[in-house]
Amino acid sequence: MNIFKIQAEYQQIVNELIENGGNLTPELELAMQITKDNFHSKSENYGYITKQFDAEMYIIDAEIKRLQQAKKTREKAIERLKANIEMAMITFEVDKIETPLIKISFRKSESVEVEDINNLPNEFKVIKLTETADKLKIKDAIKSGILIDGCSIKINKNLQIK
């Protein structure tokens, strides 16, 4: 909706400019040139167009904010629903729920816990800008029977919904 008094020819120029992603074609550039004869009318219409764009950007920003909030709300709802399902499955000692339309189950994963990286032998460290443990190498070593002080393999249960 155009709330400003933009003449039809200028509205057409604006529409073409928007369709071109804000880029000028030689034809558009020629149509947008301001001469001494049309200085006042074009300036006034360009001012109206600028105000229209400002109003539209305000509406777009508000819609982006509304959509971001709607997304956050749904993310929180998903977290709460998953937490409730997970707690109930743990309480009732159920690892898997299957229906014709949905599967809910725990997926096991492993992660290596390192208490103090400074106590690790260098072969189990990856040196970057900061020192980190080579958890893949530690995991392989622990699984092959090597004891590494301060390290263990922790079994995790991660809820997945398909």
Side-chain angles (χ1 to χ4, degrees), residues 7 36 38 44 50-51 58 61 69-70 74 84 90 104-105 107 113 115 117 119 123 125 130 132 136 139 146 158 160:
Q7 294 175 5
K36 191 171 188 171
N38 62 21
E44 182 180 8
T50 301
K51 287 202 166 282
Y58 177 80
D61 286 341
Q69 186 59 45
R74 282 159 180 77
N84 284 351
I90 290 169
I104 302 173
S105 62
R107 178 181 46 87
E113 302 292 319
E115 291 174 15
I117 194 167
N119 291 336
E123 67 183 282
K125 295 179 185 178
T130 58
T132 61
L136 206 58
K139 182 180 177 180
I146 299 172
N158 302 303
Q160 63 181 17

Side-chain angles (χ1 to χ4, degrees), residues 34-135:
I34 298 175
T35 63
K36 191 171 188 171
D37 293 339
N38 62 21
F39 172 73
H40 287 291
S41 66
K42 276 199 176 184
S43 296
E44 182 180 8
N45 278 289
Y46 287 4
Y48 290 144
I49 291 166
T50 301
K51 287 202 166 282
Q52 178 182 329
F53 283 172
D54 282 340
E56 289 172 1
M57 288 188 319
Y58 177 80
I59 292 167
I60 290 167
D61 286 341
E63 184 65 8
I64 288 170
K65 194 180 280 188
R66 185 190 69 79
L67 290 171
Q68 286 173 336
Q69 186 59 45
K71 181 181 177 186
K72 282 182 188 176
T73 300
R74 282 159 180 77
E75 286 172 346
K76 283 183 181 179
I78 287 170
E79 284 177 29
R80 291 187 194 284
L81 292 169
K82 281 185 171 183
N84 284 351
I85 293 170
E86 185 174 357
M87 183 59 69
M89 288 176 71
I90 290 169
T91 300
F92 300 119
E93 297 178 353
V94 174
D95 285 333
K96 192 174 194 179
I97 299 169
E98 274 191 64
T99 71
L101 299 177
I102 196 162
K103 294 179 184 179
I104 302 173
S105 62
F106 286 107
R107 178 181 46 87
K108 288 186 180 179
S109 66
E110 298 175 338
S111 63
V112 175
E113 302 292 319
V114 178
E115 291 174 15
D116 187 2
I117 194 167
N118 296 320
N119 291 336
L120 288 176
N122 285 338
E123 67 183 282
F124 296 110
K125 295 179 185 178
V126 175
I127 299 175
K128 299 179 185 178
L129 292 177
T130 58
E131 198 171 304
T132 61
D134 186 347
K135 290 185 174 185

